[in-house]
Amino acid sequence: MAEPQLPFAITLGPGSSRSDLTGSWRTERATYVTRQAPCGNACPAGEAVRDWLYDAEEGDAGYERAWRRIVETNPFPAVMGRVCYHPCETSCNRGQLDESVGINSVERFLGDRAIELGWSLPAVAAPTGRRVLVVGAGPAGLSAAYHLVRLGHDVTVREAESRPGGMMRWGIPRYRLPRSVLDAEVQRILDLGVRLELGVRVDDLAGTMAAEHFDAVLVAIGAQVGRRAYIPAGSAAHVLDAVTVLHGIEAGERPLLGRRVAVYGGGNTAIDAARTARRLGAADALVVYRRTRERMPAHESEVQEAEEEGVRFRWLSTIGEVEESSIVVEQMELDETGFPQPTGRTEVLAADSVVLALGQESDLSLLTGIEQVDLARGVVHTSPTMMTGQPGIFAAGDVTPGDRSVTVAIGHGRVAAERIDVWLAGLAPAPEPPRELAAFDMLNTWYYEDAPRAHRPRLELVRRQSTFEEVVEGLDVDNALYEARRCMSCGTCLSCDNCVAVCPDNAVVSLGMPGSYAIDLDYCKGCGICVAECPCGAIEMVPEEI
Amino acid sequence: MTTTDLKLYQIGTFAAGNRLLDPDERSVQADPGRANAITSGHRACQGCGEALGARFVLDAAIRAAEGNIVTANATGCLEVFSTPYPESAWQLAWVHSLFGNVAAVASGIAAALKAQGREHIRVVAQAGDGGTVDIGLGCLSGMFERNDDVLFVCYDNQGYMNTGVQRSGATPPAARTATTKPVGVEPGNVFGQGKDLPRIAMAHEIPYVATATVADLRDLERKVEKAMSVHGARYLHVLVPCPLGWASASKDTIRLARLATQSGLFPVFEAEHGVVTATTPIRQRVPVEDYLTLQGRFAHLFGEPGRPDVVARIQAGADRNIVRYGLAAENEVVPHG
């Protein structure tokens, strides 16, 4: 190569070092990666939480993009933003820094905005000609119907009740989930062309399938039968079950609970029943639970809200007898395995009624006669593909074993729809590629601004004790944007340009679009500074083959 | 709590750029059109802090001077790894000088430009700590005294690194170097010697003195811009960790610079005409051990039996800096003594 002609007294050409490919020194190379964020990993509904927060961080047009990303998996953002127990926040890496990101409140903000601005769900695919019956219009059934109709299937949902929503309507009180929100999100699904038949109970599934030629069925009938326990009770004793009480209120009844109400149980339904009793005018609502507060299955936030509203708790106690205006409670002790054991010490407490909240069971009579479906222990067992032992019959939601929540049910519905679609096509489900979790120690949290969490305001206490108005209020636009921007984008590039800046060898090249960078391997010496200084853990060092 | 403060941009201004910020609010280094004053192919070690510091400083200076810039470079690592004949990694007007005379060379360039009426061309002199605090101190002091229109940048890696890691007047106490072995009652470099050049520069009452590190790019770029906005003698002292001489992992270069500031060992401040005008408070205070244990040059202070007494003396020095420059974070109570 001819030497370039340099001006007088210039001995070395500018940038002539580039002929020295110092990348040959390298034993490890920097590589961009996308890791699984803990929020999305923990989401029972399978939302790509970090990805939609990324869109929401931009505000304005970003909000709709964020909402569209949510409804790729979950058609109920406004419901979920109210009733989900947000395992995403429990697992959020920011919780180890200051406080977890208020993901649930941002989701609610997006869900409410979608209803307010009338955003519609994505269009459905071309018809496949396959007919699917969904039994039950609860969160699992409606979620499945949504995904099935989007995939082009002809979907019929049969619901025994007079209105859709399942436990979202008949189990969760209005102060936690206003019905206008539920109705709006259900209607959006129906608008896609899902056929909903209300007040139709499916009693004989085998017969229905045969008579109406459904290609596949999803059993999503939930669990709405209150579990009873034998408690000696006098003839005048007033014992009800929580599911019936909550259902009755939604149907417009006002159950006669009296002034002093004892609720027996420690789950979220027990809390709902006690808080509802307060709103119905009970001066005293007492939750009796046989274990300790720490071991209570109800969520801490609900226990706190109940306490604020004047609900009292009696831990380590069982109800032994019920009389007309009193109950006998027995003090319990935890043994070394954590199981409550009776002590024989009893006490008589005043109570006009007892509401049992001891768990719920499913009415599985529609599956009788279908031998291949395993109904052991009162639940429908499925394979990981969500199909029962009988080909073509799938099950999802509370009717299957495992955690019972709206979020789990919505996730079940989506997975079941995907599996039904694959099964109808005669294919095997594609295995999920494993992805490495973006752990806290992969982040460089120095770069994140100090930003305490924005908390949602709550309704004033007086109104919470007497009305069914919604307790937890939403975030406004400013707070929602702030909260979204607290996301640390664990495991995904947030396009901060740090890698471009910190390379001593100029070996990181910005390709122009946000978040698109490349390593120039001609010059990358493999020092690893870009990895160490990447805020979100989206670069890793990979050994070179030598 | 100001939860509606929408200045929150996720990573705000701690990182180089941010997709949520307007391009003109991002750092020079985040600009795809940055000058890359020192470009790829230079032969600095993996993870060299000095190569990084020089690019940070000069790219910002080039932008501030709109490209009208000439730089004089003392002998040292920076000169050796950037210009092995017949190659040069520099992409600006650059002249090599001797180890000790770069301040004089830069003064001469500034005088020549003035004589030619080309004072819009700005002069930057750069040297390592050896060329600044030891060998070049006489010329530098003269440049300060005459208030020559030069920005002098010292890239402080705390020793003579390219010649084999010998002690300089900027090597910290107790550090192991080739000439301060970790043996005897007082292992490593001695306490109480060495030169604090930012304070020596302040004693000359020159218009602008500042310290910075490669760990705080925004702060460094802002100080270069400010230095370029004034005329006369200016001094910028940049801490640039050296994986070779400090016996640290190459990936830890920026982390070490950050820990030096967050422990109080390296105070970050600005001074005008001999008076401190601004300091960068510590954001996440750490004990000096966090900084020292990442470096092999302090390894003799740890383990069994270790030298907790020496570590305590280093900590006392950090605490003294925190009091002297008021580095304590807001709401933090600094114990006296």
Side-chain angles (χ1 to χ4, degrees):
Chain A
M1 193 178 83
E3 286 292 315
Q5 196 62 45
L6 294 169
F8 171 73
I10 306 289
T11 52
L12 303 174
S16 49
S17 62
R18 291 186 66 85
S19 62
D20 189 10
L21 302 183
T22 48
S24 63
W25 304 5
R26 184 178 63 238
T27 57
E28 288 182 306
R29 67 167 71 183
T31 306
Y32 289 94
V33 291
T34 300
R35 295 182 165 115
Q36 171 79 46
C39 47
N41 188 55
C43 179
E47 289 185 18
V49 176
R50 185 213 27 228
D51 297 350
W52 62 254
L53 280 171
Y54 183 94
D55 287 323
E57 281 151 26
E58 288 173 28
D60 302 326
Y63 292 141
E64 184 168 348
R65 280 204 311 279
W67 181 82
R68 297 213 165 274
R69 230 189 255 267
I70 295 175
V71 298
E72 279 301 309
T73 50
N74 169 15
F76 290 106
V79 171
M80 197 79 102
R82 290 172 166 82
V83 305
C84 182
Y85 297 114
H86 41 75
C88 51
E89 295 184 20
T90 311
S91 66
C92 173
N93 277 331
R94 184 136 200 159
Q96 297 180 53
L97 187 65
D98 41 32
E99 265 188 292
S100 56
V101 176
I103 299 166
N104 185 250
S105 56
V106 179
E107 182 171 23
R108 170 169 164 181
F109 168 79
L110 295 170
D112 287 354
R113 196 174 173 89
I115 294 172
E116 186 191 334
L117 300 180
W119 296 338
S120 55
L121 292 169
V124 301
T128 61
R130 312 305 290 267
R131 301 185 66 225
V132 183
L133 173 66
V134 175
V135 187
L142 289 171
S143 163
Y146 164 67
H147 288 286
L148 286 166
V149 80
R150 283 185 64 200
L151 291 163
H153 302 301
D154 179 84
V155 185
T156 302
V157 181
R158 286 206 180 134
E159 167 60 50
E161 295 283 357
S162 58
R163 309 201 61 190
M167 277 296 161
M168 298 188 286
R169 181 180 306 278
W170 306 105
I172 296 174
R174 287 169 181 244
Y175 59 82
R176 279 174 57 202
L177 176 57
R179 297 307 185 242
S180 57
V181 171
L182 175 62
D183 291 341
E185 294 208 318
V186 172
Q187 189 57 46
R188 233 173 16 210
I189 296 172
L190 300 181
D191 289 346
L192 294 178
V194 171
R195 191 179 311 107
L196 175 66
E197 298 172 7
L198 293 169
V200 182
R201 179 177 290 275
V202 177
D203 294 318
D204 170 15
L205 193 60
T208 305
M209 281 183 80
E212 301 183 44
H213 307 293
F214 286 108
D215 297 303
V217 172
L218 178 67
V219 177
I221 56 174
Q224 56 285 100
V225 183
R227 192 173 288 150
R228 306 292 293 210
Y230 175 72
I231 300 170
S235 55
H238 195 44
V239 181
L240 306 95
D241 78 80
V243 196
T244 309
V245 169
L246 295 170
H247 186 283
I249 287 165
E250 189 57 28
E253 297 159 16
R254 265 184 99 80
L256 294 170
L257 296 172
R259 256 172 25 81
R260 296 160 304 185
V261 180
V263 179
Y264 193 22
N268 291 309
T269 307
I271 308 293
D272 286 342
R275 294 175 71 183
T276 296
R278 285 286 288 160
R279 285 169 171 77
L280 291 173
D284 184 23
L286 174 70
V287 174
V288 180
Y289 179 56
R290 63 197 175 115
R291 299 182 199 231
T292 57
R293 177 177 190 143
E294 292 70 39
R295 291 171 177 273
M296 198 174 195
H299 285 270
E300 180 58 27
S301 61
E302 297 216 20
V303 178
Q304 275 177 16
E305 285 175 21
E307 282 181 326
E308 288 163 17
E309 291 165 14
V311 171
R312 295 192 303 124
F313 288 85
R314 192 179 168 100
W315 315 107
L316 284 172
S317 300
T318 55
I319 297 181
E321 281 172 55
V322 184
E323 291 299 332
E324 183 177 354
S325 58
S326 66
I327 55 173
V328 178
V329 296
E330 179 173 2
Q331 186 71 37
M332 306 297 275
E333 275 175 358
L334 292 187
D335 63 20
E336 60 274 13
T337 63
F339 199 80
Q341 297 293 347
T343 62
R345 296 193 300 275
T346 60
E347 195 179 335
V348 177
L349 300 175
D352 300 319
S353 62
V354 172
V355 179
L356 301 179
L358 301 169
Q360 287 136 245
E361 289 164 356
S362 302
D363 175 0
L364 299 175
S365 55
L366 83 166
L367 288 163
T368 46
I370 307 177
E371 304 270 309
Q372 294 85 342
V373 182
D374 180 359
L375 303 179
R377 295 177 301 282
V379 286
V380 181
H381 296 267
T382 66
S383 72
T385 66
M386 319 237 12
M387 192 158 77
T388 66
Q390 172 70 36
I393 299 186
F394 295 74
D398 286 0
V399 78
T400 58
D403 287 345
R404 286 175 169 176
S405 72
V406 174
T407 320
V408 169
I410 289 173
H412 272 191
R414 177 181 57 80
V415 175
E418 287 170 4
R419 297 297 190 248
I420 290 170
D421 181 61
V422 167
W423 183 80
L424 287 173
L427 303 171
E432 292 266 322
R435 275 212 283 173
E436 187 188 14
L437 200 62
F440 184 74
D441 60 11
M442 293 175 182
L443 311 178
N444 188 335
T445 57
W446 169 266
Y447 290 102
Y448 298 99
E449 277 195 80
D450 305 310
R453 175 170 176 163
H455 285 277
R456 286 179 277 194
R458 293 191 185 152
L459 189 68
E460 52 191 293
L461 212 48
V462 178
R463 282 157 71 197
R464 284 166 58 180
Q465 286 162 341
S466 55
T467 74
F468 282 83
E469 283 177 63
E470 186 166 24
V471 169
V472 181
E473 296 168 27
L475 296 178
D476 61 25
V477 177
D478 288 348
N479 282 348
L481 187 62
Y482 172 93
E483 200 52 40
R485 287 178 173 180
R486 292 183 65 243
C487 172
M488 302 197 292
S489 191
C490 308
T492 290
C493 175
L494 48 75
S495 52
C496 71
D497 295 333
N498 244 20
C499 47
V500 176
V502 300
C503 178
D505 295 286
N506 303 352
V508 182
V509 189
S510 181
L511 299 178
M513 290 296 290
S516 60
Y517 307 104
I519 308 286
D520 185 346
L521 293 173
D522 281 349
Y523 301 107
C524 169
K525 290 173 184 163
C527 69
I529 293 182
C530 55
V531 175
E533 301 305 321
C534 174
C536 51
I539 318 176
E540 68 176 356
M541 297 304 290
V542 179
E544 288 287 355
E545 285 178 20
I546 303 168
Chain B
M1 190 170 88
T2 52
T3 53
T4 51
D5 181 0
L6 282 183
K7 287 211 184 87
L8 178 72
Y9 284 112
Q10 195 170 36
I11 43 174
T13 51
F14 290 108
N18 185 333
R19 75 184 200 282
L20 301 170
L21 289 176
D22 286 338
D24 59 359
E25 291 176 298
R26 301 176 194 175
S27 68
V28 176
Q29 289 301 311
D31 178 359
R34 76 186 185 203
N36 277 333
I38 174 168
T39 192
S40 309
H42 64 68
R43 300 186 188 184
C45 306
Q46 279 183 324
C48 175
E50 190 168 30
L52 199 52
R55 195 184 73 224
F56 286 176
V57 167
L58 289 175
D59 283 0
I62 288 169
R63 179 191 271 191
E66 296 173 349
N68 297 308
I69 202 163
V70 56
T71 178
N73 205 126
T75 300
C77 281
L78 184 60
E79 176 264 333
V80 169
F81 74 62
S82 64
T83 52
Y85 187 82
E87 292 162 5
S88 167
W90 299 102
Q91 307 200 95
L92 79 172
W94 182 90
V95 61
H96 172 222
S97 75
L98 304 180
F99 216 142
N101 70 349
V102 69
V105 169
S107 292
I109 295 170
L113 290 168
K114 184 177 183 186
Q116 292 175 344
R118 300 164 75 196
E119 285 168 279
H120 67 286
I121 298 175
R122 310 299 302 276
V123 183
V124 176
Q126 47 183 8
D129 51 290
T132 304
V133 313
D134 294 339
I135 307 174
L137 185 56
C139 294
L140 178 58
S141 180
M143 187 202 104
F144 287 160
E145 189 205 7
R146 294 185 302 271
N147 198 26
D148 290 331
D149 190 11
V150 174
L151 169 60
F152 191 102
V153 185
C154 170
Y155 303 109
D156 177 9
N157 61 16
Q158 306 188 331
Y160 292 87
M161 299 316 188
N162 83 82
T163 52
V165 195
Q166 292 84 11
R167 177 199 175 279
S168 82
T171 300
R176 177 194 77 197
T177 68
T179 47
T180 58
K181 297 290 186 186
V183 293
V185 184
E186 292 212 349
N189 193 28
V190 291
F191 278 82
Q193 294 184 13
K195 308 173 197 176
D196 183 346
L197 212 87
R199 294 177 71 215
I200 294 171
M202 283 168 62
H204 291 75
E205 301 202 352
I206 57 174
Y208 188 66
V209 172
T211 65
T213 77
V214 287
D216 192 345
L217 170 64
R218 298 304 196 104
D219 176 71
L220 176 54
E221 289 186 349
R222 188 185 58 74
K223 284 169 176 167
V224 171
E225 194 180 338
K226 183 162 178 182
M228 294 300 286
S229 73
V230 285
H231 287 268
R234 291 142 289 145
Y235 179 72
L236 181 61
H237 190 100
V238 186
L239 182 69
V240 289
C242 170
L244 175 77
W246 297 16
S248 57
S250 60
K251 69 180 167 61
D252 283 339
T253 295
I254 289 178
R255 182 178 175 203
L256 280 168
R258 182 155 55 236
L259 290 169
T261 63
Q262 299 304 299
S263 62
L265 282 172
F266 187 84
V268 179
F269 65 93
E270 288 174 279
E272 293 174 35
H273 302 289
V275 179
V276 174
T277 53
T279 58
T280 304
I282 289 172
R283 185 167 165 235
Q284 293 172 7
R285 191 165 173 185
V286 294
V288 294
E289 283 93 336
D290 286 16
Y291 170 71
L292 301 175
T293 51
L294 292 174
Q295 304 173 54
R297 64 177 174 156
F298 293 109
H300 55 280
L301 303 181
F302 300 96
E304 292 302 327
R307 290 298 299 270
D309 57 322
V310 176
V311 175
R313 284 184 77 181
I314 296 172
Q315 181 68 56
D319 294 345
R320 205 159 46 241
N321 278 339
I322 289 169
V323 173
R324 175 183 284 157
Y325 293 101
L327 301 174
E330 277 179 59
N331 310 324
E332 190 191 6
V333 180
V334 179
H336 290 280

mmCIF file with all atom_site columns, all heavy atoms in Angstrom, chain A residues 494-508:
data_model
loop_
_atom_site.group_PDB
_atom_site.id
_atom_site.type_symbol
_atom_site.label_atom_id
_atom_site.label_alt_id
_atom_site.label_comp_id
_atom_site.label_asym_id
_atom_site.label_entity_id
_atom_site.label_seq_id
_atom_site.pdbx_PDB_ins_code
_atom_site.Cartn_x
_atom_site.Cartn_y
_atom_site.Cartn_z
_atom_site.occupancy
_atom_site.B_iso_or_equiv
_atom_site.pdbx_formal_charge
_atom_site.auth_seq_id
_atom_site.auth_comp_id
_atom_site.auth_asym_id
_atom_site.auth_atom_id
_atom_site.pdbx_PDB_model_num
ATOM 1   N N   . LEU A 1 494 ? -31.660 -1.025 27.736 1.00 0.00 ? 494 LEU A N   1
ATOM 2   C CA  . LEU A 1 494 ? -32.559 0.121  27.805 1.00 0.00 ? 494 LEU A CA  1
ATOM 3   C C   . LEU A 1 494 ? -32.000 1.289  27.009 1.00 0.00 ? 494 LEU A C   1
ATOM 4   O O   . LEU A 1 494 ? -32.443 2.418  27.149 1.00 0.00 ? 494 LEU A O   1
ATOM 5   C CB  . LEU A 1 494 ? -32.873 0.495  29.256 1.00 0.00 ? 494 LEU A CB  1
ATOM 6   C CG  . LEU A 1 494 ? -31.752 0.638  30.271 1.00 0.00 ? 494 LEU A CG  1
ATOM 7   C CD1 . LEU A 1 494 ? -30.989 1.930  30.073 1.00 0.00 ? 494 LEU A CD1 1
ATOM 8   C CD2 . LEU A 1 494 ? -32.340 0.613  31.672 1.00 0.00 ? 494 LEU A CD2 1
ATOM 9   N N   . SER A 1 495 ? -30.998 1.026  26.183 1.00 0.00 ? 495 SER A N   1
ATOM 10  C CA  . SER A 1 495 ? -30.358 2.000  25.289 1.00 0.00 ? 495 SER A CA  1
ATOM 11  C C   . SER A 1 495 ? -29.879 3.250  26.012 1.00 0.00 ? 495 SER A C   1
ATOM 12  O O   . SER A 1 495 ? -30.314 4.349  25.727 1.00 0.00 ? 495 SER A O   1
ATOM 13  C CB  . SER A 1 495 ? -31.252 2.348  24.096 1.00 0.00 ? 495 SER A CB  1
ATOM 14  O OG  . SER A 1 495 ? -32.530 2.733  24.484 1.00 0.00 ? 495 SER A OG  1
ATOM 15  N N   . CYS A 1 496 ? -28.948 3.021  26.948 1.00 0.00 ? 496 CYS A N   1
ATOM 16  C CA  . CYS A 1 496 ? -28.369 4.138  27.701 1.00 0.00 ? 496 CYS A CA  1
ATOM 17  C C   . CYS A 1 496 ? -27.042 4.583  27.116 1.00 0.00 ? 496 CYS A C   1
ATOM 18  O O   . CYS A 1 496 ? -26.456 5.552  27.597 1.00 0.00 ? 496 CYS A O   1
ATOM 19  C CB  . CYS A 1 496 ? -28.180 3.751  29.161 1.00 0.00 ? 496 CYS A CB  1
ATOM 20  S SG  . CYS A 1 496 ? -26.857 2.549  29.452 1.00 0.00 ? 496 CYS A SG  1
ATOM 21  N N   . ASP A 1 497 ? -26.514 3.879  26.122 1.00 0.00 ? 497 ASP A N   1
ATOM 22  C CA  . ASP A 1 497 ? -25.242 4.215  25.464 1.00 0.00 ? 497 ASP A CA  1
ATOM 23  C C   . ASP A 1 497 ? -24.016 4.049  26.364 1.00 0.00 ? 497 ASP A C   1
ATOM 24  O O   . ASP A 1 497 ? -22.920 4.458  25.989 1.00 0.00 ? 497 ASP A O   1
ATOM 25  C CB  . ASP A 1 497 ? -25.247 5.656  24.911 1.00 0.00 ? 497 ASP A CB  1
ATOM 26  C CG  . ASP A 1 497 ? -26.266 5.846  23.808 1.00 0.00 ? 497 ASP A CG  1
ATOM 27  O OD1 . ASP A 1 497 ? -26.586 4.861  23.132 1.00 0.00 ? 497 ASP A OD1 1
ATOM 28  O OD2 . ASP A 1 497 ? -26.735 6.985  23.626 1.00 0.00 ? 497 ASP A OD2 1
ATOM 29  N N   . ASN A 1 498 ? -24.192 3.471  27.547 1.00 0.00 ? 498 ASN A N   1
ATOM 30  C CA  . ASN A 1 498 ? -23.026 3.310  28.422 1.00 0.00 ? 498 ASN A CA  1
ATOM 31  C C   . ASN A 1 498 ? -21.939 2.466  27.777 1.00 0.00 ? 498 ASN A C   1
ATOM 32  O O   . ASN A 1 498 ? -20.762 2.778  27.872 1.00 0.00 ? 498 ASN A O   1
ATOM 33  C CB  . ASN A 1 498 ? -23.453 2.643  29.732 1.00 0.00 ? 498 ASN A CB  1
ATOM 34  C CG  . ASN A 1 498 ? -23.255 3.550  30.920 1.00 0.00 ? 498 ASN A CG  1
ATOM 35  O OD1 . ASN A 1 498 ? -23.155 4.762  30.751 1.00 0.00 ? 498 ASN A OD1 1
ATOM 36  N ND2 . ASN A 1 498 ? -23.201 2.976  32.101 1.00 0.00 ? 498 ASN A ND2 1
ATOM 37  N N   . CYS A 1 499 ? -22.330 1.385  27.119 1.00 0.00 ? 499 CYS A N   1
ATOM 38  C CA  . CYS A 1 499 ? -21.328 0.493  26.531 1.00 0.00 ? 499 CYS A CA  1
ATOM 39  C C   . CYS A 1 499 ? -20.509 1.233  25.475 1.00 0.00 ? 499 CYS A C   1
ATOM 40  O O   . CYS A 1 499 ? -19.292 1.049  25.361 1.00 0.00 ? 499 CYS A O   1
ATOM 41  C CB  . CYS A 1 499 ? -21.990 -0.749 25.939 1.00 0.00 ? 499 CYS A CB  1
ATOM 42  S SG  . CYS A 1 499 ? -23.422 -0.403 24.905 1.00 0.00 ? 499 CYS A SG  1
ATOM 43  N N   . VAL A 1 500 ? -21.193 2.108  24.721 1.00 0.00 ? 500 VAL A N   1
ATOM 44  C CA  . VAL A 1 500 ? -20.493 2.887  23.693 1.00 0.00 ? 500 VAL A CA  1
ATOM 45  C C   . VAL A 1 500 ? -19.490 3.821  24.346 1.00 0.00 ? 500 VAL A C   1
ATOM 46  O O   . VAL A 1 500 ? -18.379 4.021  23.855 1.00 0.00 ? 500 VAL A O   1
ATOM 47  C CB  . VAL A 1 500 ? -21.510 3.701  22.859 1.00 0.00 ? 500 VAL A CB  1
ATOM 48  C CG1 . VAL A 1 500 ? -20.799 4.571  21.855 1.00 0.00 ? 500 VAL A CG1 1
ATOM 49  C CG2 . VAL A 1 500 ? -22.495 2.776  22.171 1.00 0.00 ? 500 VAL A CG2 1
ATOM 50  N N   . ALA A 1 501 ? -19.881 4.379  25.489 1.00 0.00 ? 501 ALA A N   1
ATOM 51  C CA  . ALA A 1 501 ? -19.034 5.374  26.143 1.00 0.00 ? 501 ALA A CA  1
ATOM 52  C C   . ALA A 1 501 ? -17.850 4.752  26.869 1.00 0.00 ? 501 ALA A C   1
ATOM 53  O O   . ALA A 1 501 ? -16.759 5.304  26.848 1.00 0.00 ? 501 ALA A O   1
ATOM 54  C CB  . ALA A 1 501 ? -19.863 6.198  27.127 1.00 0.00 ? 501 ALA A CB  1
ATOM 55  N N   . VAL A 1 502 ? -18.039 3.610  27.524 1.00 0.00 ? 502 VAL A N   1
ATOM 56  C CA  . VAL A 1 502 ? -17.009 3.126  28.445 1.00 0.00 ? 502 VAL A CA  1
ATOM 57  C C   . VAL A 1 502 ? -15.964 2.231  27.789 1.00 0.00 ? 502 VAL A C   1
ATOM 58  O O   . VAL A 1 502 ? -15.044 1.778  28.469 1.00 0.00 ? 502 VAL A O   1
ATOM 59  C CB  . VAL A 1 502 ? -17.624 2.370  29.654 1.00 0.00 ? 502 VAL A CB  1
ATOM 60  C CG1 . VAL A 1 502 ? -18.552 3.289  30.434 1.00 0.00 ? 502 VAL A CG1 1
ATOM 61  C CG2 . VAL A 1 502 ? -18.330 1.101  29.209 1.00 0.00 ? 502 VAL A CG2 1
ATOM 62  N N   . CYS A 1 503 ? -16.064 1.990  26.495 1.00 0.00 ? 503 CYS A N   1
ATOM 63  C CA  . CYS A 1 503 ? -15.072 1.108  25.867 1.00 0.00 ? 503 CYS A CA  1
ATOM 64  C C   . CYS A 1 503 ? -13.774 1.877  25.633 1.00 0.00 ? 503 CYS A C   1
ATOM 65  O O   . CYS A 1 503 ? -13.765 2.853  24.885 1.00 0.00 ? 503 CYS A O   1
ATOM 66  C CB  . CYS A 1 503 ? -15.594 0.566  24.535 1.00 0.00 ? 503 CYS A CB  1
ATOM 67  S SG  . CYS A 1 503 ? -14.345 -0.487 23.742 1.00 0.00 ? 503 CYS A SG  1
ATOM 68  N N   . PRO A 1 504 ? -12.654 1.446  26.234 1.00 0.00 ? 504 PRO A N   1
ATOM 69  C CA  . PRO A 1 504 ? -11.395 2.169  26.037 1.00 0.00 ? 504 PRO A CA  1
ATOM 70  C C   . PRO A 1 504 ? -10.882 2.041  24.605 1.00 0.00 ? 504 PRO A C   1
ATOM 71  O O   . PRO A 1 504 ? -9.967  2.766  24.216 1.00 0.00 ? 504 PRO A O   1
ATOM 72  C CB  . PRO A 1 504 ? -10.425 1.483  27.000 1.00 0.00 ? 504 PRO A CB  1
ATOM 73  C CG  . PRO A 1 504 ? -11.259 0.680  27.927 1.00 0.00 ? 504 PRO A CG  1
ATOM 74  C CD  . PRO A 1 504 ? -12.498 0.324  27.174 1.00 0.00 ? 504 PRO A CD  1
ATOM 75  N N   . ASP A 1 505 ? -11.457 1.127  23.837 1.00 0.00 ? 505 ASP A N   1
ATOM 76  C CA  . ASP A 1 505 ? -10.940 0.846  22.495 1.00 0.00 ? 505 ASP A CA  1
ATOM 77  C C   . ASP A 1 505 ? -11.904 1.251  21.392 1.00 0.00 ? 505 ASP A C   1
ATOM 78  O O   . ASP A 1 505 ? -11.716 0.847  20.241 1.00 0.00 ? 505 ASP A O   1
ATOM 79  C CB  . ASP A 1 505 ? -10.605 -0.649 22.400 1.00 0.00 ? 505 ASP A CB  1
ATOM 80  C CG  . ASP A 1 505 ? -9.476  -1.000 23.346 1.00 0.00 ? 505 ASP A CG  1
ATOM 81  O OD1 . ASP A 1 505 ? -8.331  -0.642 23.031 1.00 0.00 ? 505 ASP A OD1 1
ATOM 82  O OD2 . ASP A 1 505 ? -9.737  -1.572 24.420 1.00 0.00 ? 505 ASP A OD2 1
ATOM 83  N N   . ASN A 1 506 ? -12.922 2.009  21.719 1.00 0.00 ? 506 ASN A N   1
ATOM 84  C CA  . ASN A 1 506 ? -13.927 2.427  20.727 1.00 0.00 ? 506 ASN A CA  1
ATOM 85  C C   . ASN A 1 506 ? -14.483 1.234  19.968 1.00 0.00 ? 506 ASN A C   1
ATOM 86  O O   . ASN A 1 506 ? -14.771 1.333  18.778 1.00 0.00 ? 506 ASN A O   1
ATOM 87  C CB  . ASN A 1 506 ? -13.369 3.382  19.667 1.00 0.00 ? 506 ASN A CB  1
ATOM 88  C CG  . ASN A 1 506 ? -12.776 4.616  20.256 1.00 0.00 ? 506 ASN A CG  1
ATOM 89  O OD1 . ASN A 1 506 ? -12.910 4.845  21.450 1.00 0.00 ? 506 ASN A OD1 1
ATOM 90  N ND2 . ASN A 1 506 ? -12.139 5.409  19.433 1.00 0.00 ? 506 ASN A ND2 1
ATOM 91  N N   . ALA A 1 507 ? -14.588 0.119  20.634 1.00 0.00 ? 507 ALA A N   1
ATOM 92  C CA  . ALA A 1 507 ? -14.989 -1.095 19.930 1.00 0.00 ? 507 ALA A CA  1
ATOM 93  C C   . ALA A 1 507 ? -16.478 -1.380 20.061 1.00 0.00 ? 507 ALA A C   1
ATOM 94  O O   . ALA A 1 507 ? -16.937 -2.419 19.628 1.00 0.00 ? 507 ALA A O   1
ATOM 95  C CB  . ALA A 1 507 ? -14.180 -2.291 20.441 1.00 0.00 ? 507 ALA A CB  1
ATOM 96  N N   . VAL A 1 508 ? -17.231 -0.473 20.656 1.00 0.00 ? 508 VAL A N   1
ATOM 97  C CA  . VAL A 1 508 ? -18.680 -0.638 20.700 1.00 0.00 ? 508 VAL A CA  1
ATOM 98  C C   . VAL A 1 508 ? -19.285 0.421  19.790 1.00 0.00 ? 508 VAL A C   1
ATOM 99  O O   . VAL A 1 508 ? -19.020 1.617  19.937 1.00 0.00 ? 508 VAL A O   1
ATOM 100 C CB  . VAL A 1 508 ? -19.229 -0.512 22.133 1.00 0.00 ? 508 VAL A CB  1
ATOM 101 C CG1 . VAL A 1 508 ? -20.738 -0.736 22.126 1.00 0.00 ? 508 VAL A CG1 1
ATOM 102 C CG2 . VAL A 1 508 ? -18.553 -1.506 23.049 1.00 0.00 ? 508 VAL A CG2 1
#
